Amino acid sequence: MSQIQEKTQIIRIDRLTSDIVRLTLDAPNIASVASPGQFVMIRTGETNDPLLRRPFSISQTSSDGHFQILFKVVGRGTDLLSHCREGECLSVLGPLGSGYRIDTSRPACLVGGGMGIAPLLFLGKRILQNGVDQRPLVVLGARNREELQPLIDDFADLGLKVHAATDDGSLGHHGLLTDVLKSLDLGPECMTYVCGPKPMMAAVYLFCRSKKYGCQVSVETAMACGMGACLGCIVPLKKGGYGHSCSDGPVFDAEDLLWQL
Amino acid sequence: MKFVDSKTPAVDLQVSIGSLTLKNPIMTASGTFGYAKEFEPYVNLHRLGAVVVKGISLLPRAGNPPPRIVETSCGMLNAIGLENVGVDRFISEKMDSLNGVNVPVVVNILGDTLEEYREISERLADVEGIAAIEVNISCPNVKKGGVAFGTVPEMAASVTKAVKESCSVPVIVKLSPNVTDISLIARGVEEAGADAVSLINTLIGMAIDHRSRRPKLANVIGGLSGPAIKPVALRMVFQVAQAVSIPVIGIGGIETAEDVLEFMLAGATAVQIGTANFVNPRASEEAVEGISRYVADQRLQSVRELIGGLILAD
Ligand SMILES: Cc1cc2nc3c(=O)[nH]c(=O)nc-3n(C[C@H](O)[C@H](O)[C@H](O)COP(=O)(O)OP(=O)(O)OC[C@H]3O[C@@H](n4cnc5c(N)ncnc54)[C@H](O)[C@@H]3O)c2cc1C
Ligand SMILES: Cc1cc2nc3c(=O)[nH]c(=O)nc-3n(C[C@H](O)[C@H](O)[C@H](O)COP(=O)(O)O)c2cc1C
Ligand code: FES
């Protein structure tokens, strides 16, 4: 594995909404080897408080050595990051973890809720680059139009049509993302690639299980190190015991996890 | 891997822990450095004084349910529950790669009973490549109603004796700070034959989410580590260094070469870097570089001049 610690410069900051920010970082060594579903650990400040790095999915890479993260401000670390300025440097570890395993032989469906949409853009791009007979279906959900529209635009730029759901009905289906999923013709043998809040991923997994679709989920746990050293980031496995989300995951085959359904 | 930086001045950084000589006083702390391999992408491992691996028990342990970690002000709480692969798998699966990294390996062990400590030490006794054993005595003694070995001088001494009798490598006893008088425990294990003491293990703490009215850790309580505990650790190292004549290894909130200097002045012969590895995976190597520069700049004969060099009154 070629992980590194890099001082990266912030190339661009896009404030997509009042609390959703996209950072573009110049990190050639990370961007060149990253694969979809992998993440980075970022130091959000220079002081000891907050002490630990914060994990973020890589949401896109570019051939000129940049990668992007997309995040929502939920606490102190993300608040600090949202106040960074262009030109500033951030310490980044990555790329970390094992990402999505793209199955080129099966039709793909990308399912993302909220900030879980972040890694799916990278994945969609990579699937298209790999060359496929069938363009992947994309199903995205968020609270409202304001949050979802800018993220949909990214997929539209790739030429991918997005089926949307919002909690308040301001864009697409009014209600659950799984309702949209059920209404689509995914075809047999479909592989779903999922990232989002736990209840959403559980519902998607249940649906996939009933249809015998494949289902890969990216799980979110607390993390201290991101590299398999602290053993803090566990997820219960169906076979018993635990997996470590930073090294065995964050992407797991949903079948292998112990779900509380 | 890169070659040793030729700009690093050749200075005497050697320290001794019993019969073990380290090329410098910087070690990594158990449970914060995996089995060293995890850090190979970031650190020139051979430049460290030693690495201490994750605590090993007789049988594999799955550890505690999640959440196991939570950040606190300038620190973190963990309740990993001593997840590990067990001594047999450790020997068969981990020792080969550890032997490959060319740095002294200290194996940290733990047990529920005196017999378990003895048995693990016996199994490790003949294993090639183990430089020393560090005994974690912060564990509950199941035969004594769960009282931690490290909180009663007699129990701490009997574990020390059992391990000493079962192996020939130097034995470092790792002390718990969750006691009334840590010097008493330190003296107890010194008399029982410990070659060195290391301190401190984590301080028991707790975090609560007032919104959900629930503890933030599934285990309710956990061990506090990181910069938040440094003042407590420094005080305990200072007291223990005065109470015993065996080497003291300082642990607790160390991040930089400056922190290392402070611990050595307080009486530590060597130090271990723990939580800082998570924040900066290169922390240990950077501390080696910093100490090396300091010893050169100050024109010290050796790093050993610093040990216990605290000036108390003019
Ligand atoms: C592998 C992985 C990839 C991730 N990728 C992304 C990403 O691409 N974009 C993104 O925005 N986030 C992502 N996250 C989540 C992100 O790491 C957290 O939101 C971040 O660590 C919060 O840090 P903070 O200091 O702002 O909040 P803290 O101060 O740590 O927490 C503040 C409050 O927010 C709550 N909280 C913590 N995490 C979340 C969360 N994810 N959602 C809602 N509440 C939360 C805490 O319980 C606490 O009450 C990812 C997490 C993992 C494990
Ligand atoms: C996640 C984690 C796991 C730990 N596991 C062990 C262990 O298995 N055995 C042990 O003796 N100490 C263990 N420790 C304690 C550390 O080795 C060290 O004594 C303590 O964290 C204080 O040092 P620090 O502030 O530099 O982290 C662990 C600490 C952390 C944070
Ligand atoms: S985050 Fe430390 S082991 Fe996974």
Side-chain angles (χ1 to χ4, degrees), chain B residues 119-293:
Chain B
E119 176 125 22
I120 305 169
S121 318
E122 281 169 1
R123 294 204 198 174
L124 291 170
D126 300 323
V127 178
E128 188 84 24
I130 295 177
I133 287 180
E134 180 178 64
V135 194
N136 178 356
I137 57 169
S138 298
C139 311
N141 182 346
V142 294
K143 290 201 177 155
K144 290 275 159 67
V147 176
F149 287 98
T151 57
V152 181
E154 294 74 33
M155 284 196 331
S158 54
V159 174
T160 309
K161 209 174 257 151
V163 177
K164 270 305 278 186
E165 284 165 4
S166 320
C167 66
S168 54
V169 293
V171 172
I172 303 163
V173 179
K174 181 162 177 180
L175 305 182
S176 164
N178 306 300
V179 294
T180 320
D181 184 352
I182 197 165
S183 305
L184 269 182
I185 315 281
R187 263 190 240 118
V189 305
E190 180 182 35
E191 278 163 28
D195 296 285
V197 287
S198 57
L199 63 150
I200 58 178
N201 210 318
T202 54
L203 284 157
I204 297 174
M206 176 169 181
I208 293 175
D209 182 347
H210 66 85
R211 280 161 301 189
S212 66
R213 302 192 174 186
R214 287 184 165 78
K216 288 188 177 179
L217 293 172
N219 190 54
V220 183
I221 60 171
L224 182 65
S225 66
I229 70 170
K230 195 182 114 183
V232 179
L234 264 178
R235 183 267 293 181
M236 289 188 163
V237 164
F238 176 64
Q239 289 178 330
V240 167
Q242 290 176 327
V244 298
S245 51
I246 50 178
V248 175
I249 301 170
I251 323 169
I254 301 175
E255 294 183 302
T256 63
E258 288 74 25
D259 296 329
V260 176
L261 287 175
E262 292 171 23
F263 273 83
M264 293 192 76
L265 291 171
T269 296
V271 299
Q272 293 178 10
I273 295 182
T275 302
N277 295 308
F278 303 155
V279 182
N280 172 15
R282 288 190 36 77
S284 53
E285 191 176 350
E286 285 173 8
V288 173
E289 287 161 2
I291 283 293
S292 177
R293 265 196 308 273

Side-chain angles (χ1 to χ4, degrees), chain A residues 30-45:
Chain A
I30 293 175
S32 59
V33 295
S35 65
Q38 286 192 302
F39 65 101
V40 291
M41 292 289 279
I42 299 187
R43 257 200 110 165
T44 59

